Amino acid sequence: MSKFLKGTMILMAAGLVTRLLGFINRIVIARLIGEEGVGLYMMAYPTLVLVVTITQLGLPVAISKAVAEADIKGDQRKVKKILVVSLTVTGTLSLLFTPALILLGPLLSKTLFTDPRIYYPLTAIAPIIPIIAISSVIRGYFQGKQNMKPSAVSQVLEQAVRITLIAVLTKAFLPMGIEYAAAAAMVASVIGELASLLYLFAMFKVKKRFPVRRNFLLALKGGKATFKELMNVALPTTGSRMIGSLSWFFEPIIVSQSLLLAGVAAGIATKQYGLLTGYALPLLTLPSFITFSLATSLVPAISEANAVRNHGLVEHRLQQALRFALLSGGLSVIILFTFAEPLMKLIYGSENGAYFIKLMAPFFIFHYYQGPLQAILQALDLARAAMINSLIGNAFKLGVIFILASQPHIGITGAALGIAAGTLLITALHYATVLKKIQFTVYIKDYIKFFAAAILAGWSGKIIYDSLFFDSNFIKMALGIIFTTMIYLALLFGLKLVNKGDMTKIPVIGNLIK
């Protein structure tokens, strides 16, 4: 099995465990602090993502790409320079932005978000910034080496520590108010990320082939060319991520202000935003652990193939990633759309938010495509094009949200439609850009077969679910999902979208087949 597929599978396995643990976190938070508390949590979180994006400066992707290219040449001195320069840049920026976030917290919460209670979770999460800054550099190094195990284990460890603490801390602070409970959930995230960093640092000390601290300043002094090389990838990548982070930062602000124009009170707006982003979107984005794994592995894998001008391998890996994203994402869309109500009831104890899932699920097949496409653009030195695509799509999204959400008869549904529209546009632009650069074959017949299989599997699954008679909602839903999945897989094999050769490439299934 190639390093690319092996690395992807490792990250997928870790991503699945991490997502499941993260889901347990979401369930605990939702059940303890309710829709309004989740709304406070989710309104504060995009601000953190924006600050972290600025602090990282796009370096994780640039490090991964640069280390992969230096490693294939056996240039360990270059690898050390990459790490020294990256740690200096991210460390300096985190020391600047962490206190800035704490000091600006009162202004942001009172003026922009229209709910002063957001100040508490906003301040509580600030210490995570320098922790993520350092861990992202180490992750970039391991990804460049196409060694995905440390990154995978660190993700699982971070979630395990968080889940251990979140119920205890949230419950302890809940009597003081939901704003303090939301802040406690943020503190659990900080401690989890710290545990992840300690593990990554320990693995780095074991695996590295050179001393980093020795002659650190000398390496930094001679790192001007390395800094410039990293910035050539990092800045456009940051631009693309910055646009996404700015869009996410402004999203709750525009939603709350638009709903205020529509006559919705601040508390109700926070609750509605919590339903959309804290209840529905986590379910919709759950399968993105697959596309994240693909995207993380694609950057060094395609950079390596592109560096030796192996265009056939570049196209092969591209087709592998897109096909995998489509077929796995398709199953997710079917299950989420068909079982929205029972899933919400089982997970959160309420069907509130199921409407958003049914509304947005068909559009999210484009979301699952977006990560691999953006990674391909970055690996092919087209990060600038990805940035422009993101700018157009996110500006469109915010515009749609403002226009629709401010209408009294549409309200929060406008925000859901805006998110879906922005996702669709960005993915379409990325796809067109990659197609222009690589000129790969587009198998239209396979796409038609896929949509036919998805519709038929969803329709059949719904009929089977409705015909089941069980008192237990869990048993009924589990059987419905199992039958739907079996029908979908049977249709994929029947329509020749998947074959035995594809299955043998997946480690566990491959061993069983052999």
Side-chain angles (χ1 to χ4, degrees):
M1 180 181 289
S2 69
K3 272 188 177 181
F4 166 60
L5 279 174
K6 186 177 179 181
T8 301
M9 293 303 171
I10 290 169
L11 285 175
M12 277 177 55
L16 176 59
V17 175
T18 303
R19 288 282 173 163
L20 290 174
L21 291 174
F23 236 76
I24 297 171
N25 280 325
R26 296 277 187 186
I27 295 166
V28 171
I29 293 172
R31 288 181 178 266
L32 285 175
I33 63 178
E35 296 162 12
E36 198 170 351
V38 171
L40 290 172
Y41 183 94
M42 293 307 300
M43 281 190 166
Y45 199 75
T47 304
L48 167 71
V49 173
L50 174 61
V51 176
V52 167
T53 300
I54 297 170
T55 304
Q56 288 181 337
L57 207 65
L59 283 169
V61 173
I63 293 165
S64 174
K65 185 175 185 297
V67 167
E69 291 171 353
D71 196 47
I72 202 171
K73 298 172 185 174
D75 191 348
Q76 295 303 312
R77 184 179 294 179
K78 176 71 175 291
V79 174
K80 179 177 178 177
K81 282 187 177 181
I82 291 165
L83 289 172
V84 168
V85 170
S86 302
L87 286 168
T88 303
V89 172
T90 55
T92 303
L93 288 172
S94 65
L95 290 175
L96 290 173
F97 283 102
T98 304
L101 179 59
I102 295 170
L103 292 172
L104 290 171
L107 177 66
L108 290 170
S109 57
K110 290 178 184 177
T111 308
L112 297 180
F113 292 107
T114 71
D115 195 331
R117 295 175 298 172
I118 293 170
Y119 169 74
Y120 299 97
L122 201 59
T123 306
I125 199 68
I128 207 172
I129 296 167
I131 298 171
I132 291 177
I134 298 169
S135 64
S136 65
V137 172
I138 302 175
R139 279 196 180 99
Y141 165 78
F142 281 120
Q143 288 161 8
K145 292 277 189 178
Q146 297 198 50
N147 179 6
M148 304 302 173
K149 285 183 181 178
S151 182
V153 174
S154 70
Q155 289 173 32
V156 175
L157 178 63
E158 185 262 327
Q159 286 290 350
V161 172
R162 185 192 295 189
I163 202 171
T164 304
L165 294 174
I166 202 161
V168 177
L169 292 177
T170 306
K171 202 169 184 179
F173 283 88
L174 186 58
M176 300 172 65
I178 57 171
E179 61 269 38
Y180 291 99
M186 293 295 195
V187 171
S189 299
V190 174
I191 298 172
E193 195 65 49
L194 179 61
S196 172
L197 171 60
L198 292 174
Y199 169 78
L200 281 170
F201 185 73
M203 289 303 298
F204 177 70
K205 287 198 74 174
V206 171
K207 297 288 184 181
K208 66 182 171 65
R209 301 177 187 173
F210 47 83
V212 176
R213 284 179 294 178
R214 189 183 300 169
N215 300 321
F216 187 94
L217 293 176
L218 185 63
L220 181 62
K221 188 178 179 182
K224 189 176 179 180
T226 303
F227 175 77
K228 188 176 179 181
E229 181 186 335
L230 287 170
M231 288 301 105
N232 284 338
V233 176
L235 288 178
T237 302
T238 298
S240 186
R241 283 199 65 195
M242 181 67 71
I243 290 162
S245 299
L246 277 169
S247 170
W248 199 17
F249 170 73
F250 283 118
E251 185 184 298
I253 297 170
I254 291 174
V255 169
S256 58
Q257 296 289 349
S258 298
L259 292 177
L260 194 64
L261 289 173
V264 180
I268 302 297
T270 302
K271 184 177 179 179
Q272 289 181 346
Y273 191 73
L275 276 174
L276 173 60
T277 60
Y279 283 55
L281 279 179
L283 268 172
L284 289 165
T285 56
L286 176 63
S288 61
F289 76 87
I290 297 172
T291 53
F292 173 79
S293 306
L294 286 168
T296 304
S297 300
L298 271 172
V299 173
I302 288 187
S303 296
E304 187 181 276
N306 198 43
V308 295
R309 301 186 182 279
N310 190 340
H311 301 299
L313 183 58
V314 170
E315 182 177 353
H316 174 66
R317 284 176 173 167
L318 163 66
Q319 294 282 16
Q320 272 185 319
L322 294 184
R323 190 154 160 261
F324 201 18
L326 178 69
L327 300 180
S328 58
L331 178 59
S332 304
V333 168
I334 294 163
I335 291 172
L336 289 171
F337 186 86
T338 307
F339 304 100
E341 288 86 359
L343 276 169
M344 294 295 284
K345 183 72 174 176
L346 179 70
I347 294 169
Y348 301 115
S350 168
E351 292 184 3
N352 293 341
Y355 164 74
F356 294 122
I357 291 177
K358 294 182 84 73
L359 177 68
M360 300 171 71
F363 296 97
F364 261 69
I365 190 67
F366 298 99
H367 172 78
Y368 308 139
Y369 246 41
Q370 196 175 117
L373 286 170
Q374 183 157 321
I376 291 160
L377 290 173
Q378 290 164 352
L380 295 173
D381 296 319
L382 291 171
R384 180 182 172 85
M387 179 185 71
I388 294 169
N389 294 344
S390 296
L391 176 62
I392 295 168
N394 280 292
F396 181 70
K397 177 188 79 171
L398 293 176
V400 172
I401 289 174
F402 181 75
I403 292 167
L404 296 181
S406 59
Q407 304 301 314
H409 60 286
I410 299 177
I412 193 66
T413 301
L417 291 171
I419 293 169
T423 299
L424 194 157
L425 181 58
I426 293 171
T427 305
L429 291 171
H430 282 352
Y431 195 89
T433 307
V434 172
L435 186 60
K436 185 177 178 182
K437 174 69 176 181
I438 298 181
Q439 295 183 348
F440 60 92
T441 306
V442 179
Y443 298 100
I444 303 249
K445 189 184 288 185
D446 284 352
Y447 283 100
I448 294 170
K449 288 180 181 178
F450 161 74
F451 285 116
I455 292 167
L456 189 56
W459 176 70
S460 302
K462 177 64 174 172
I463 291 173
I464 291 171
Y465 175 78
D466 290 337
S467 66
L468 294 172
F469 295 99
F470 288 97
D471 293 331
S472 170
N473 176 50
F474 173 75
I475 294 174
K476 186 177 178 180
M477 186 193 67
L479 287 173
I481 290 174
I482 290 168
F483 282 122
T484 303
T485 303
M486 290 171 63
I487 292 166
Y488 178 70
L489 291 175
L491 287 167
L492 292 185
F493 277 100
L495 295 170
K496 297 183 179 178
L497 291 170
V498 175
N499 55 47
K500 185 179 176 181
D502 295 325
M503 301 304 288
T504 57
K505 292 174 184 176
I506 302 174
V508 176
I509 298 173
N511 291 334
L512 289 172
I513 291 172
K514 290 173 184 177

